[in-house]
Amino acid sequence: MNHHAIPDLTALAQLTPDALRALWPQWFDRPPPAKIRREFLVRALAYRMQEQAMGGLTTATRTTLRAHAEAEQQGSNGEGSARSRLTPGTHIIRQWGKETHQVTVDVAGLVYRGQRYRSLSAIARRITGTRWSGPLFFGITPGKGTRRGLAGRTSR
């Protein structure tokens, strides 16, 4: 492990994109992605600097994260994990335009206006006419658990 002293991370936020790109080779073995936003350059550099100074993730943590990432990829853009957090009887309510849209979670899937759907994304597409991430459209944030992070959720 290459231990560096922790640099002043707050100073990173003041650097220009060119200065951040110039700093990148000191911390990474490859050039920065061509179309990376400045905000992500700052975050990546800050994380790498802390990782080098204090040590990185343990092997067990990396294994756990890899397993979670693979499980997410099995679903449709995280759709499976969002749906698994929703318990039967949950109502998801979303205001779109001048209408209120309600989805009911039941043991077999999702029900919207009397029709059964396999994903929130399919319902969001029906409502908007365009492709959406269903969890994003309905305000369901990842990792919050069943009872938190559901915008406008009511339960029976």
Side-chain angles (χ1 to χ4, degrees):
M1 200 174 336
N2 186 7
H3 287 288
H4 295 275
I6 300 177
D8 178 13
L9 298 178
T10 57
L12 283 176
Q14 308 306 316
L15 296 178
T16 66
D18 288 339
L20 292 165
R21 287 181 179 285
L23 187 59
W24 190 274
Q26 296 173 33
W27 298 94
F28 293 95
D29 295 334
R30 58 190 172 279
K35 294 187 178 188
I36 189 171
R37 291 184 6 208
R38 183 185 166 283
E39 164 191 354
F40 294 120
L41 281 169
V42 170
R43 289 180 182 196
L45 283 164
Y47 179 85
R48 182 67 170 180
M49 290 171 175
Q50 291 176 79
E51 178 183 52
Q52 291 294 317
M54 297 183 285
L57 299 174
T58 65
T59 302
T61 301
R62 285 178 206 218
T63 301
T64 301
L65 289 172
R66 193 170 293 113
H68 284 295
E70 288 170 5
E72 286 293 317
Q73 288 176 351
Q74 305 282 321
S76 166
N77 296 328
E79 189 82 44
S81 67
R83 196 168 63 215
S84 67
R85 288 194 318 268
L86 302 173
T87 56
T90 299
H91 298 279
I92 306 162
I93 300 169
R94 171 66 149 92
Q95 188 74 32
W96 180 258
K98 294 181 181 182
E99 291 185 65
T100 299
H101 301 273
Q102 180 176 307
V103 176
T104 302
V105 180
D106 70 13
V107 292
L110 304 161
V111 179
Y112 172 69
R113 294 193 173 167
Q115 261 190 292
R116 189 166 309 284
Y117 292 84
R118 291 181 51 209
S119 72
L120 288 172
S121 295
I123 298 169
R125 189 172 320 131
R126 175 163 176 215
I127 293 169
T128 65
T130 60
R131 294 183 72 86
W132 269 83
S133 157
L136 179 64
F137 178 80
F138 285 100
I140 299 172
T141 56
K144 296 289 187 179
T146 302
R147 298 233 173 248
R148 282 186 254 162
L150 302 178
R153 183 197 86 357
T154 61
S155 208
R156 284 186 189 184

